[in-house]
PDB file of all heavy atoms in Angstrom:
ATOM      1  N   LEU J 198       5.624 -24.271   2.530  1.00 29.00           N
ATOM      2  CA  LEU J 198       5.248 -23.826   3.872  1.00 29.00           C
ATOM      3  C   LEU J 198       4.520 -22.494   3.836  1.00 29.00           C
ATOM      4  O   LEU J 198       4.860 -21.614   3.066  1.00 29.00           O
ATOM      5  CB  LEU J 198       6.505 -23.661   4.724  1.00 29.00           C
ATOM      6  CG  LEU J 198       7.405 -24.874   4.836  1.00 29.00           C
ATOM      7  CD1 LEU J 198       8.603 -24.549   5.687  1.00 29.00           C
ATOM      8  CD2 LEU J 198       6.647 -26.027   5.439  1.00 29.00           C
ATOM      9  N   ASP J 199       3.555 -22.382   4.677  1.00 29.00           N
ATOM     10  CA  ASP J 199       2.902 -21.089   4.835  1.00 29.00           C
ATOM     11  C   ASP J 199       3.672 -20.282   5.856  1.00 29.00           C
ATOM     12  O   ASP J 199       3.961 -20.748   6.944  1.00 29.00           O
ATOM     13  CB  ASP J 199       1.469 -21.283   5.311  1.00 29.00           C
ATOM     14  CG  ASP J 199       0.605 -21.762   4.179  1.00 29.00           C
ATOM     15  OD1 ASP J 199       0.269 -20.928   3.334  1.00 29.00           O
ATOM     16  OD2 ASP J 199       0.302 -22.968   4.131  1.00 29.00           O
ATOM     17  N   VAL J 200       4.012 -19.107   5.462  1.00 29.00           N
ATOM     18  CA  VAL J 200       4.796 -18.256   6.356  1.00 29.00           C
ATOM     19  C   VAL J 200       3.858 -17.273   7.025  1.00 29.00           C
ATOM     20  O   VAL J 200       3.035 -16.655   6.386  1.00 29.00           O
ATOM     21  CB  VAL J 200       5.864 -17.493   5.558  1.00 29.00           C
ATOM     22  CG1 VAL J 200       6.608 -16.532   6.459  1.00 29.00           C
ATOM     23  CG2 VAL J 200       6.824 -18.473   4.944  1.00 29.00           C
ATOM     24  N   PHE J 201       4.017 -17.154   8.275  1.00 29.00           N
ATOM     25  CA  PHE J 201       3.127 -16.276   9.023  1.00 29.00           C
ATOM     26  C   PHE J 201       3.868 -15.029   9.433  1.00 29.00           C
ATOM     27  O   PHE J 201       4.987 -15.076   9.904  1.00 29.00           O
ATOM     28  CB  PHE J 201       2.635 -16.990  10.276  1.00 29.00           C
ATOM     29  CG  PHE J 201       1.750 -18.131   9.948  1.00 29.00           C
ATOM     30  CD1 PHE J 201       2.293 -19.323   9.508  1.00 29.00           C
ATOM     31  CD2 PHE J 201       0.399 -18.009  10.032  1.00 29.00           C
ATOM     32  CE1 PHE J 201       1.485 -20.374   9.183  1.00 29.00           C
ATOM     33  CE2 PHE J 201      -0.423 -19.066   9.717  1.00 29.00           C
ATOM     34  CZ  PHE J 201       0.127 -20.253   9.292  1.00 29.00           C
ATOM     35  N   ARG J 202       3.199 -13.942   9.277  1.00 27.00           N
ATOM     36  CA  ARG J 202       3.805 -12.707   9.711  1.00 27.00           C
ATOM     37  C   ARG J 202       3.223 -12.366  11.069  1.00 27.00           C
ATOM     38  O   ARG J 202       2.023 -12.280  11.236  1.00 27.00           O
ATOM     39  CB  ARG J 202       3.480 -11.584   8.744  1.00 27.00           C
ATOM     40  CG  ARG J 202       3.851 -10.249   9.302  1.00 27.00           C
ATOM     41  CD  ARG J 202       4.170  -9.297   8.218  1.00 27.00           C
ATOM     42  NE  ARG J 202       4.374  -7.978   8.826  1.00 27.00           N
ATOM     43  CZ  ARG J 202       5.027  -7.044   8.238  1.00 27.00           C
ATOM     44  NH1 ARG J 202       5.551  -7.255   7.066  1.00 27.00           N
ATOM     45  NH2 ARG J 202       5.167  -5.870   8.793  1.00 27.00           N
ATOM     46  N   ILE J 203       4.105 -12.196  11.999  1.00 27.00           N
ATOM     47  CA  ILE J 203       3.649 -11.824  13.334  1.00 27.00           C
ATOM     48  C   ILE J 203       4.029 -10.376  13.541  1.00 27.00           C
ATOM     49  O   ILE J 203       5.188 -10.017  13.550  1.00 27.00           O
ATOM     50  CB  ILE J 203       4.274 -12.724  14.404  1.00 27.00           C
ATOM     51  CG1 ILE J 203       3.806 -14.159  14.174  1.00 27.00           C
ATOM     52  CG2 ILE J 203       3.891 -12.253  15.790  1.00 27.00           C
ATOM     53  CD1 ILE J 203       4.559 -15.176  14.960  1.00 27.00           C
ATOM     54  N   GLY J 204       3.089  -9.551  13.644  1.00 24.00           N
ATOM     55  CA  GLY J 204       3.387  -8.143  13.791  1.00 24.00           C
ATOM     56  C   GLY J 204       2.101  -7.395  13.989  1.00 24.00           C
ATOM     57  O   GLY J 204       1.153  -7.945  14.517  1.00 24.00           O
ATOM     58  N   TYR J 205       2.050  -6.192  13.540  1.00 23.00           N
ATOM     59  CA  TYR J 205       0.866  -5.378  13.743  1.00 23.00           C
ATOM     60  C   TYR J 205      -0.321  -5.989  13.002  1.00 23.00           C
ATOM     61  O   TYR J 205      -1.448  -5.778  13.326  1.00 23.00           O
ATOM     62  CB  TYR J 205       1.084  -3.986  13.208  1.00 23.00           C
ATOM     63  CG  TYR J 205       2.159  -3.211  13.890  1.00 23.00           C
ATOM     64  CD1 TYR J 205       3.080  -3.797  14.725  1.00 23.00           C
ATOM     65  CD2 TYR J 205       2.237  -1.843  13.699  1.00 23.00           C
ATOM     66  CE1 TYR J 205       4.064  -3.067  15.330  1.00 23.00           C
ATOM     67  CE2 TYR J 205       3.223  -1.094  14.301  1.00 23.00           C
ATOM     68  CZ  TYR J 205       4.148  -1.723  15.118  1.00 23.00           C
ATOM     69  OH  TYR J 205       5.119  -0.982  15.702  1.00 23.00           O
ATOM     70  N   ARG J 206      -0.007  -6.706  11.938  1.00 25.00           N
ATOM     71  CA  ARG J 206      -1.087  -7.270  11.150  1.00 25.00           C
ATOM     72  C   ARG J 206      -1.431  -8.661  11.635  1.00 25.00           C
ATOM     73  O   ARG J 206      -1.936  -9.483  10.907  1.00 25.00           O
ATOM     74  CB  ARG J 206      -0.671  -7.343   9.700  1.00 25.00           C
ATOM     75  CG  ARG J 206      -0.347  -5.999   9.147  1.00 25.00           C
ATOM     76  CD  ARG J 206       0.146  -6.128   7.745  1.00 25.00           C
ATOM     77  NE  ARG J 206       0.319  -4.805   7.209  1.00 25.00           N
ATOM     78  CZ  ARG J 206       1.371  -4.420   6.533  1.00 25.00           C
ATOM     79  NH1 ARG J 206       2.337  -5.256   6.288  1.00 25.00           N
ATOM     80  NH2 ARG J 206       1.470  -3.197   6.085  1.00 25.00           N
ATOM     81  N   GLY J 207      -1.121  -8.886  12.883  1.00 25.00           N
ATOM     82  CA  GLY J 207      -1.152 -10.229  13.419  1.00 25.00           C
ATOM     83  C   GLY J 207      -2.342 -11.078  13.101  1.00 25.00           C
ATOM     84  O   GLY J 207      -2.174 -12.243  12.785  1.00 25.00           O
ATOM     85  N   PHE J 208      -3.527 -10.525  13.171  1.00 25.00           N
ATOM     86  CA  PHE J 208      -4.652 -11.436  13.139  1.00 25.00           C
ATOM     87  C   PHE J 208      -4.993 -11.936  11.742  1.00 25.00           C
ATOM     88  O   PHE J 208      -5.927 -12.669  11.556  1.00 25.00           O
ATOM     89  CB  PHE J 208      -5.871 -10.823  13.820  1.00 25.00           C
ATOM     90  CG  PHE J 208      -6.492  -9.680  13.105  1.00 25.00           C
ATOM     91  CD1 PHE J 208      -7.539  -9.885  12.234  1.00 25.00           C
ATOM     92  CD2 PHE J 208      -6.035  -8.403  13.307  1.00 25.00           C
ATOM     93  CE1 PHE J 208      -8.113  -8.829  11.586  1.00 25.00           C
ATOM     94  CE2 PHE J 208      -6.609  -7.347  12.668  1.00 25.00           C
ATOM     95  CZ  PHE J 208      -7.654  -7.557  11.799  1.00 25.00           C
ATOM     96  N   ILE J 209      -4.216 -11.537  10.767  1.00 24.00           N
ATOM     97  CA  ILE J 209      -4.368 -12.155   9.449  1.00 24.00           C
ATOM     98  C   ILE J 209      -3.050 -12.844   9.154  1.00 24.00           C
ATOM     99  O   ILE J 209      -2.107 -12.230   8.687  1.00 24.00           O
ATOM    100  CB  ILE J 209      -4.712 -11.122   8.387  1.00 24.00           C
ATOM    101  CG1 ILE J 209      -6.069 -10.524   8.732  1.00 24.00           C
ATOM    102  CG2 ILE J 209      -4.778 -11.774   7.013  1.00 24.00           C
ATOM    103  CD1 ILE J 209      -6.448  -9.370   7.897  1.00 24.00           C
TER     104      ILE J 209
END
Side-chain angles (χ1 to χ4, degrees):
Chain J
L198 304 179
D199 285 284
V200 176
F201 293 78
R202 168 152 174 159
I203 297 168
Y205 297 14
R206 300 176 174 135
F208 69 93
I209 296 172

